[in-house]
Each structure stands twice: as structure tokens, then as C-alpha cells.
Amino acid sequence: MADLETIVSITRVGPKHWQDFEAVSPGGVHFSGFLCRQESDWLGTLAVTQIEGRKRLEFIPGMPKIPYPYQVDRHGQVQLVIPIPPRATDARFTIKLDGTCIIFYAVRDEEGNVLEVIPRTRLQPVLTPSRWGNWNALLAEALPDPTPVERAVREHGLVLAFELWGSRNPHLVSYDTPLALTLHTGIRHHKLLAFPRLAHVAKIYGF
């Protein structure tokens, strides 16, 4: 429990919100730790406490839920409200696709060397089929060659979040597109990547 106590102390997120896990990557890397399930900026964060039997502590960011930009006014009417920081000089808006968040991240050894780049959903350490869908098969179809994404994660120290969406992965919104994978967020050093930088990375690696 000492690991969990340290995690709680650092994040200020209570122990009840951390779910322990033990996982094996597609490439055979054994790792374990805790996954945050609190509805906050920490949602989906992995606190890795052991890799290949060696203890360590590394926080790998997840993808917090994107809040819907709607508020109900005093008359009960729903209003579209998009807050923009007062000193902002540029703002970009993209369509919020209705699908499954697929996150690519790197597992590293104690020297910081990348052992493997792994895809996952928001609340799992490794991509795993569930009653909601066979994410592995759908991802393989939408992204037959993950090499460019894996290279971007390795070479730039990024966590990349995509949306797996379309009629083959039904949610609330109906789409004519059968299946697609769309990049929407990049995280580096636990901070969101500015859109121009994210677009530049996507252009370089072709995804």
C-alpha cells in the first residue's frame, strides 16, 4: 500500500479512485500499478509502479472526458458556451466525434528507454476486447499499420489520443462512415500539445 499512499499524496486523489492492475503488453512487457477512475483531469491516468519486476513510479496521462459546451440559463434554455482564456490570440474548434477513445503511450524502463508503444482505452492499461466491442480488431482495421503513430510517440515523448468512430462502432450519433480513426489530442510532459504543434506532428508522420 506504500505505492498507493505515495500516489495519493502526489495527486491528491483519494485511494478509492485508484484501481490496481497487472498487465502484459502485446509485446510481452509485464507491468503493474494503479489506474485513476475519478471524473477529473486525472481520469485514465496510469500510475505505473512496477515494470518487468522492477519497482518504479511513473505517471502516464490518460484522456480526461471532454465536457459538453452546454449550459442551462435561468430560463431553462440550453445555451452553447465555449470558454476562451482572456489572453487567447488564436482558437481552433474541431468536431467532437462520438466513438471510443484510443490512447497510444510508451512504456519505458528505468533508464527512460522505450520498451513498447501500447494502445489502450481510457479505463484500461492495455487494449482489450470487451462487451462493448472488439477494440483490437476494429483498431487493426482502422489503422492497419500503426508504425507512424508508434514512431511519433517514441520520438517526441507523446501520448496521442484518437477517436475510433463510425457506424461499425455505434454510440449515440449515427454516422454514414463505416469506421475511422481520428487524432484529436496530444499530451507531452503532462500538458496538452497546442493544435499547430499537434497538426505538424500528424503531417510529418502521415496520420
Side-chain angles (χ1 to χ4, degrees):
M1 293 299 291
D3 288 331
L4 183 55
E5 291 174 3
T6 301
I7 292 165
V8 169
S9 175
I10 292 172
T11 64
R12 304 299 180 187
V13 175
K16 70 177 182 179
H17 298 294
W18 292 97
Q19 176 183 333
D20 64 315
F21 72 85
E22 293 185 6
V24 181
S25 73
V29 177
H30 291 72
F31 63 108
S32 59
F34 297 86
L35 186 148
C36 185
R37 301 183 69 91
Q38 184 187 65
E39 294 275 348
S40 69
D41 288 343
W42 291 97
L43 180 67
T45 295
L46 298 180
V48 177
T49 57
Q50 193 171 105
I51 295 180
E52 294 293 354
R54 297 187 177 185
K55 288 189 175 183
R56 60 173 304 164
L57 178 58
E58 180 183 2
F59 291 98
I60 300 173
M63 179 63 211
K65 278 189 171 294
I66 301 173
Y68 291 98
Y70 302 109
Q71 293 182 7
V72 179
D73 65 19
R74 60 191 180 90
H75 302 294
Q77 300 296 313
V78 176
Q79 302 291 332
L80 177 65
V81 178
I82 302 177
I84 299 176
R87 295 184 181 180
T89 58
D90 184 28
R92 309 293 176 94
F93 300 91
T94 59
I95 297 173
K96 185 181 185 301
L97 297 164
D98 189 28
T100 302
C101 183
I102 304 292
I103 302 167
F104 284 83
Y105 70 101
V107 171
R108 303 174 185 273
D109 63 18
E110 58 268 31
E111 281 81 37
N113 302 308
V114 176
L115 299 174
E116 188 176 349
V117 174
I118 302 172
R120 69 179 180 104
T121 51
R122 181 184 275 115
L123 296 179
Q124 293 289 338
V126 176
L127 197 64
T128 307
S130 73
R131 66 189 179 98
W132 303 110
N134 187 341
W135 312 127
N136 303 71
L138 290 173
L139 179 60
E141 185 176 337
L143 186 68
D145 180 12
T147 305
V149 175
E150 293 172 354
R151 284 186 55 211
V153 172
R154 284 176 180 270
E155 295 171 10
H156 293 271
L158 299 172
V159 172
L160 294 177
F162 295 76
E163 196 77 1
L164 183 65
W165 61 281
S167 59
R168 299 269 311 286
N169 184 26
H171 284 67
L172 294 177
V173 178
S174 297
Y175 293 108
D176 294 329
T177 301
L179 190 66
L181 186 72
T182 302
L183 174 68
H184 63 72
T185 302
I187 302 170
R188 188 168 187 266
H189 300 316
H190 298 271
K191 293 183 179 180
L192 294 178
L193 214 59
F195 181 83
R197 178 60 179 161
L198 182 64
H200 180 66
V201 170
K203 182 178 180 181
I204 290 175
Y205 292 92
F207 55 79

